[in-house]
Amino acid sequence: MTQIAITRTAHPKQPPADETLQFGRVFTDHMFMMNYDAGKGWHTPRVVPYAPFTLDPAACVLHYGQAVFDGMKAFRGKDGQIRLFRVGDHAARLNRSAHLLCIPELDVEMVEESIRTLVEVDQAWVPSRPGTSLYIRPTIIATETFLGVHPSSSYLYYVIVGPVGAYYKEGMNPVSILASDHHVRAVQGGLGAAKTAGNYAASLFGAEEAEKAGYTQVLWLDGVHHRFLDEVGTMNIMLRIDDEIITPPLNGAILAGVTRDSVLTLLRDWGLRVSERPIAIEDVLAAAQTGRLEMWGTGTAAVISPVGELGYKGERYVINGGQTGALTQKLYDTIIGIQYGTAPDPHGWASLLGNRQHAAR
Ligand SMILES: *Cc1c(COP(=O)(O)O)cnc(C)c1O
């Protein structure tokens, strides 16, 4: 692996107090960068002071959206140790997203090494207050100066990191979601399985409409029938009807969430009945009305987000009495425990910073 050059800032900033942290507003003193040029491959991996960079106004990414990213977290435990959660799996997913956007493959070990190196350099920024973490955002953008729709011949891979506050400041609170019967996020055959910029642009209009109607998130239904559940906001969706736990299958329209995988793995460890199968909105509504439903979203930001209310075609349906279900709470507590090093980690998901043993996993 090519050596990562490290240039430290001459003007280190003071990290903000843990209790003031929000999400995505504050970044650390350094960032990682690496370039790709046709004929040369990926080259010049480096950690440099965090700073704006210049792009030609004709850069491909600004016009045609050839961009992918990922999102993961590092946690400081009560023991003071810093743990990265499933970093190898996030690195592999970044590569899968890149592949779907015709971006040249990265060495997954190099991606993991770029993240570990940057977090090491800025480790003083990893907050320690319960619930806080360091959010990690690897990104790849197309940089060729050219107007025309074709894959770029040059790219920038960079990583920025920043401390973020607790998602739940006063315990978990169930959200209300609106199932959209006309806006769609992604369709099979499209880019739903990639964490690519355009998918989030495509979600804005529907999300704003849901917000105006008094809901926090959109429940995305499939783009063909507007009937089967896809995802919720930027999370995967799961539900329990009686003793069956159901989540939509990875059919190409859905992002393969790492949290989704963690939850499915735990549920199977616990011997519960788990189905990855299509689930129609009318079956969800029927289960809600008969009080047999528990529903939650999964994603890195919230880990688990309970759903307390579902809107569809002008009607509001209360789920599980508007309360966080017992299984939802258990999943949250278990994953948080693994992330902060207070619960057993049988699958080796949390790896200590500086511990390269997991690098090739
Ligand atoms: C990031 C994301 C998720 C959740 O993925 P995690 O790996 O669990 O964070 C789910 N759906 C969409 C659309 C996403 O962008």
Side-chain angles (χ1 to χ4, degrees):
M1 203 168 359
T2 325
Q3 194 69 32
I4 298 174
I6 299 175
T7 308
R8 286 177 191 267
T9 178
H11 310 283
K13 294 181 301 226
Q14 183 67 34
D18 285 5
E19 58 273 18
T20 65
L21 293 172
Q22 297 174 304
F23 185 89
R25 300 238 170 240
V26 173
F27 300 95
T28 61
D29 283 330
H30 299 89
M31 61 185 181
F32 175 90
M33 298 174 96
M34 178 163 74
N35 298 84
Y36 177 92
D37 288 289
K40 220 174 155 186
W42 289 104
H43 64 89
T44 327
R46 59 205 186 273
V47 169
V48 294
Y50 187 100
F53 46 67
T54 58
L55 274 182
D56 193 286
C60 283
V61 64
L62 301 176
H63 302 269
Y64 310 110
Q66 200 188 2
V68 296
F69 65 91
D70 215 283
M72 72 201 88
K73 285 176 171 178
F75 304 86
R76 193 185 294 279
K78 269 200 196 125
D79 55 5
Q81 301 253 42
I82 296 169
R83 289 172 179 80
L84 291 157
F85 189 69
R86 301 193 68 171
V87 56
D89 298 303
H90 283 281
R93 186 176 64 193
L94 180 69
N95 225 6
R96 291 201 301 277
S97 295
H99 180 73
L100 287 170
L101 272 288
C102 298
I103 294 171
E105 191 169 332
L106 290 131
D107 175 356
V108 173
E109 272 182 51
M110 175 47 107
V111 172
E112 181 164 347
E113 192 57 29
S114 67
I115 291 164
R116 286 182 182 278
T117 304
L118 180 60
V119 176
E120 264 169 11
V121 169
D122 279 335
Q123 58 181 281
W125 287 77
V126 182
S128 56
R129 195 183 170 91
T132 61
S133 56
L134 187 79
Y135 184 73
I136 301 165
R137 170 54 61 91
T139 308
I140 310 172
I141 56 172
T143 53
E144 185 180 349
T145 301
F146 177 75
L147 292 184
V149 179
H150 78 160
S152 176
S153 63
S154 61
Y155 298 87
L156 172 66
Y157 164 58
Y158 67 94
V159 187
I160 55 175
V161 299
V164 299
Y167 192 90
Y168 297 112
K169 295 203 167 61
E170 290 137 16
M172 289 177 111
N173 46 332
V175 294
S176 60
I177 64 176
L178 176 66
S180 181
D181 55 3
H182 54 289
H183 294 294
V184 299
R185 188 192 83 92
V187 287
Q188 271 176 276
L191 292 175
K195 245 178 148 65
T196 183
N199 285 343
Y200 306 88
S203 76
L204 296 177
F205 203 96
E208 202 168 84
E209 204 168 82
E211 215 169 287
K212 280 182 193 148
Y215 294 90
T216 26
Q217 308 265 357
V218 180
L219 177 63
W220 302 104
L221 301 180
D222 77 279
V224 178
H225 309 95
H226 302 296
R227 188 175 161 221
F228 297 99
L229 277 58
D230 267 357
E231 302 205 52
V232 58
T234 58
M235 292 183 287
N236 293 111
I237 186 76
M238 285 191 198
L239 40 96
R240 180 187 60 73
I241 300 179
D242 297 326
D243 68 351
E244 183 189 17
I245 296 139
I246 310 162
T247 197
L250 300 177
N251 60 8
I254 292 169
L255 192 87
V258 173
T259 318
R260 174 187 183 278
D261 183 74
S262 303
V263 167
L264 295 180
T265 303
L266 288 173
L267 293 169
R268 288 176 177 134
D269 286 355
W270 297 341
L272 298 174
R273 191 172 144 224
V274 177
S275 309
E276 294 176 62
R277 64 167 175 89
I279 172 91
I281 184 72
E282 62 268 21
D283 296 336
V284 177
L285 300 177
Q289 284 173 308
T290 48
R292 296 175 300 134
L293 179 67
E294 189 174 335
M295 194 169 182
W296 64 90
T298 70
T300 293
V303 183
I304 304 285
S305 179
V307 177
E309 194 183 354
L310 171 61
Y312 183 63
K313 291 192 193 284
E315 300 286 330
R316 285 180 174 254
Y317 302 80
V318 174
I319 297 171
N320 196 48
Q323 303 298 309
T324 301
L327 184 61
T328 308
Q329 187 72 51
K330 183 178 174 188
L331 285 166
Y332 177 78
D333 293 342
T334 305
I335 295 177
I336 289 285
I338 294 171
Q339 291 174 335
Y340 288 92
T342 58
D345 179 15
H347 299 281
W349 288 335
S351 59
L352 292 178
L353 184 65
N355 181 356
R356 259 67 175 178
Q357 253 173 293
H358 296 267
R361 202 161 39 87

